[in-house]
Amino acid sequence: MSSPDPQVRAARNLATSPAARGPVVAVTGAASGVGAMLAERLAASEEIKQVIAIDERRGPCAEAQWHILDVRDPAIADKLRGADVVVHLALDLDLETDPAARTAYNVRGTQTVLTAAAAAGVHRVVLCTSSMVYGALPDNELPLSEDAELRATAEATGVGDLLEIERLARRAPRAHPGLNVTVVRPAILVGGTDTALTRYFESPRLLVVAGSRPAWQFCHVEDLCSALEYTVLEKADGELAVGCDGWLEQEEVEELSGIRRMELPSAVALGAAARLHRIGLTPSPAGDLAYTMYPWVVSGSRLHDAGWRPQWTNEEVLAELLEEVSGRHTVAGRRLGRKDATAAGAAGATVALLGAAAVVRRARKARRRI
């Protein structure tokens, strides 16, 4: 008996391969950042049948099926047909983006994706927020469990958007029966990211608020992608926190980084941060400072119970972060040019910004007296 034609044999092998039995996964925000990394990872996995990539421009993943559109466009429902899982990563958390425009994009985009996924027959949507939603508070347990109350407020950059996304995630299964929603909450994300918390390590001195007890926990983007893959393959679901095991105390961070601290009283630090942001000198609101003052470390127990483990330690991620930000100069969340930073000196840049705020205050008082 003759052997089957090679093309027939290949088709049979494909039909019985793990990938052929695996899910079709749509990734929004797939052109850059975590979305691009995840699309590449899933496309290379033998457990994934197909990757559908969605963004406003084409990204690097050549193996994906691309759809170019804004996630707020209701037409996305047609692009999601045939997908088993959607991982929604099209979020704008840029410090420089207008806050109202950022919220409009993030919230409307998430609403549209959830509604479109339900209409397209998708059975699971994975949303990515942040462990910041737990809030940074002096009475937080170390570490927090996934079931801990979300006590954050909307005072830090983008956190209000993330809290609204969390609310949408809780409501979606009731509004769309049959739709499962998984929420992944990474710790401080490192690996090509730019946030108020990564900029903290671009400063000539590490600002420490007197009487605070910071605890630092990081999450490398590679570990986040592997955790997202776990959710795609339904190895873990529900509300999942992800980060390195354990945490670093402030003294350990200073020793590892070689950056000395500058300690300020709470009233001075918070008051100055609020004023600098209000007059437009810095992109970071005062609420960002709380996340450098109090702990918001997470246990990640659900992922651990499912067999997932981080490949990076806090020490390794901090070392990579310091390498990434080398040569950058930031004070109070505001990037300085090399010339400005050199002229300002170590702590002098902070003094200059505080002085600028005082000058503006005095000018405003003078105008009111006229």
Side-chain angles (χ1 to χ4, degrees), residues 93 95 128-137 140 144 148-163 166 183-189 194-198 216-217 219 240-242 284-292 294-298:
L93 298 175
L95 288 170
C128 188
T129 61
S130 167
S131 294
M132 293 177 79
V133 297
Y134 290 107
L137 298 159
N140 274 348
L144 293 161
E149 181 184 354
L150 305 188
R151 297 197 290 163
T153 65
E155 295 173 355
T157 303
V159 173
D161 297 359
L162 299 180
L163 289 169
E166 293 271 353
V183 179
V184 178
R185 301 166 179 157
I188 301 172
L189 198 58
D194 176 26
T195 67
L197 292 166
T198 59
W216 295 90
Q217 181 186 38
C219 177
L240 308 170
V242 54
S284 299
D288 287 347
L289 198 55
Y291 290 88
T292 71
Y294 303 118
W296 48 290
V297 172
V298 290

Side-chain angles (χ1 to χ4, degrees), residues 20-237:
R21 298 192 301 271
V24 175
V25 184
V27 180
T28 69
S32 61
V34 177
M37 289 184 63
L38 181 65
E40 295 270 19
R41 182 186 182 98
L42 296 178
S45 172
E46 294 184 352
E47 296 183 85
I48 304 299
K49 183 175 183 179
Q50 183 186 13
V51 175
I52 299 171
I54 298 173
D55 211 319
E56 295 177 60
R57 61 181 177 85
R58 190 179 181 89
C61 186
E63 295 81 5
Q65 176 186 337
W66 280 91
H67 296 295
I68 311 302
L69 81 165
D70 189 312
V71 291
R72 294 170 293 181
D73 188 339
I76 195 173
D78 292 333
K79 313 305 181 185
L80 297 180
R81 296 197 187 281
D84 301 296
V85 184
V86 175
V87 184
H88 179 48
L89 298 173
L91 295 179
D92 181 1
L93 298 175
D94 193 316
L95 288 170
E96 311 298 338
T97 301
D98 174 73
R102 182 174 58 218
T103 296
Y105 179 81
N106 290 337
V107 176
R108 181 62 179 167
T110 303
Q111 288 173 328
T112 304
V113 167
L114 288 167
T115 302
V122 175
H123 80 269
R124 179 179 299 276
V125 174
V126 180
L127 302 177
C128 188
T129 61
S130 167
S131 294
M132 293 177 79
V133 297
Y134 290 107
L137 298 159
D139 61 344
N140 274 348
E141 293 184 359
L142 272 170
L144 293 161
S145 71
E146 280 95 342
D147 291 329
E149 181 184 354
L150 305 188
R151 297 197 290 163
T153 65
E155 295 173 355
T157 303
V159 173
D161 297 359
L162 299 180
L163 289 169
E164 182 57 31
I165 290 169
E166 293 271 353
R167 285 190 282 270
L168 292 171
R170 288 193 296 271
R171 291 199 296 263
R174 297 194 297 271
H176 308 290
L179 181 66
N180 297 304
V181 180
T182 297
V183 179
V184 178
R185 301 166 179 157
I188 301 172
L189 198 58
V190 174
T193 58
D194 176 26
T195 67
L197 292 166
T198 59
R199 287 191 183 189
Y200 177 83
F201 294 93
E202 298 176 16
S203 298
R205 293 284 186 270
L206 297 180
L207 174 62
V208 176
V209 176
S212 65
R213 60 177 192 112
W216 295 90
Q217 181 186 38
F218 301 97
C219 177
H220 195 276
V221 291
E222 291 179 358
D223 281 339
L224 174 58
C225 285
S226 70
L228 290 169
E229 185 178 14
Y230 249 64
T231 69
V232 163
L233 296 173
E234 300 188 22
K235 296 178 180 178
D237 59 12

Side-chain angles (χ1 to χ4, degrees), residues 330-342:
T330 294
V331 174
R334 175 176 174 259
R335 284 252 171 90
L336 301 176
R338 185 181 299 274
K339 183 178 179 181
D340 294 334
T342 302

Side-chain angles (χ1 to χ4, degrees), residues 310-333:
Q311 297 303 303
W312 291 72
T313 66
N314 283 302
E315 291 85 353
E316 290 169 341
V317 180
L318 176 59
E320 173 149 322
L321 172 57
L322 293 170
E323 185 175 343
E324 281 189 6
V325 305
S326 177
R328 299 177 190 168
H329 307 282
T330 294
V331 174

Side-chain angles (χ1 to χ4, degrees), residues 233-307:
L233 296 173
E234 300 188 22
K235 296 178 180 178
D237 59 12
E239 298 167 341
L240 308 170
V242 54
C244 300
D245 290 336
W247 62 90
L248 298 174
E249 302 288 352
Q250 181 71 25
E251 291 75 17
E252 293 176 284
V253 166
E254 292 170 18
E255 182 179 352
L256 290 167
S257 67
I259 307 174
R260 288 181 292 172
R261 70 168 60 192
M262 181 179 66
E263 191 163 314
L264 291 175
S266 175
V268 172
L270 292 169
R275 290 191 294 273
L276 291 172
H277 181 66
R278 189 167 56 248
I279 63 179
L281 284 179
T282 65
S284 299
D288 287 347
L289 198 55
Y291 290 88
T292 71
M293 294 172 60
Y294 303 118
W296 48 290
V297 172
V298 290
S299 69
S301 58
R302 287 180 181 156
L303 277 167
H304 281 63
D305 290 346

